[in-house]
Amino acid sequence: MFQYLNEEAETLSREKIEALQDERLKRIVAYTAKSNPWYAERFRKAGVDPLNFGGIKEITKLPFCSKADFREQYPLGMCCVPRNTLAEMHMSSGSTGTPVVMPSTAYDLKQWAQCMGRCYVMAGAKRGDTCQITPGFGLFNGGFGCYHGAREAGLFIVPTGAGNTTRQIKLAQDFGTRVMVSVVSYSIRIMELLRQTNQGLPDLKIGIFGAESFSAEMKKRITTGLGIDAFDIYGMTETGGIGLGMDCPAHEGIHVWEDQYIVEVVDHETGEPVPDGEFGEIVITSLNREALPVIRFKTSDRGRILTRKKCVCGRTHLRLDTISGRLDDMLIISGVNFFPTQIEQSLLKIPGVLPNYQIIIRDRHGIKSLRINVEAEPGVTGFMVEKQLKEDLGFSPEGDIYKPGELPRSEGKAKRIFYETLDDNSSKGETK
Ligand code: DLL
């Protein structure tokens, strides 16, 4: 029932994983220090001797890096190889607009293909299966990462990229798409159009979704709405892109490819490690990249390690819980801390509420309040929404109910959070 792309690597014993990580960590520290003065200087400042670094037991001595470092070092300040040896690059822009660049050599593209290829096969994809890739091709790493991995797994690729949902559906029907990869919110758009036009995707069996946090309730709706098995795939530009891990058909956590990456969970504020099972900020070290290996990259993603035990699927690589959200997106309203996915989880419990919503955070002289706009079928009332949110979050925000299709849609990651500053002279405020 369970299948592997690289059985040996995916089922290494825990001792072997740790020995490999130890050896690779020492190597990557020495390599980055030798290849790039930026790394050498950071190790020097942290008092780490790159040639005599003690490996995994000393990992906490290594300095963290962050998105801010990538931005400061734009375009290739953190790159460890000459530019004329690069093969491809990807980039994400984020809130400040200063881009984060991830260059790759041919070796890195093979590493990426291996990670993504393992994900496809783990989900149940077989050689020759039609695989439709709906994340954008271009600077976003989603489309190309899916492509490199699908080649590795021997799939028949339909590289639609983002948008044109009517054509996506037609191609999926005409070419018998069995595996589809998508940004979470785009899968909802596909489901919506299928329902509106009374169509189905009878060959679709495997959905691989990621790039955004999604609640258990949302996953349930996608799984039942499309009649598929849905997988939660994780990855980011800075670690080399989509596919550093995904859940297996047992759906008991996201396996992170530990021969390729070290995962730590630390306290967001202090940077101190937290024990397995506790929530904190996910930190990733890439062990097998050439152009730009990250060392202790603070992701800003909130998560926790569920277990390091062997899974029923036979894989030994540790499992992470679903990512709860970005720590920068955590909301504190009326003294209650929560993530947007908790609002989503609560809204989607209400029958007739649709998975399109907006969270508007209003700030009046530093006092924050919340407004939630959500689409729903006729019959859903504001009272129903208020009651559910009060039950789950402890307070009921203001908000409006919109008719299906009234709120804006996106082809990439959905924009769900909006900020408004209100002053005493304006009742509507200004949206940032
Ligand atoms: O979003 C890579 C990707 C593409 C993953 C398609 C899955 C599917 P970035 O644009 O650099 O790369 O954004 C990375 O997205 O730090 C998380 O905050 C979020 N993210 C990615 N996957 C998940 C997931 C891609 N499965 C950032 N669950 C990360 C929750 C996710 N959040």
Side-chain angles (χ1 to χ4, degrees), residues 19-41:
L20 189 64
Q21 288 188 329
D22 194 51
E23 178 206 314
R24 289 189 162 174
L25 182 63
K26 286 179 192 158
R27 198 180 67 199
I28 213 87
V29 166
Y31 164 75
T32 50
K34 187 181 80 182
S35 321
N36 183 309
W38 182 83
Y39 286 90
E41 177 59 12

Side-chain angles (χ1 to χ4, degrees), residues 96-154:
T96 66
T98 318
V100 160
V101 172
M102 174 50 57
S104 297
T105 60
Y107 181 85
D108 294 331
L109 295 182
K110 281 200 186 126
Q111 185 267 355
W112 196 10
Q114 168 71 206
C115 291
M116 257 318 283
R118 286 186 199 175
C119 292
Y120 282 120
V121 177
M122 177 159 69
K126 296 191 180 57
R127 292 192 89 75
D129 275 355
T130 308
C131 171
Q132 190 159 332
I133 300 176
T134 76
F137 281 82
L139 289 169
F140 181 47
N141 67 76
F144 279 99
C146 292
Y147 175 82
H148 293 307
R151 294 275 302 162
E152 185 74 16

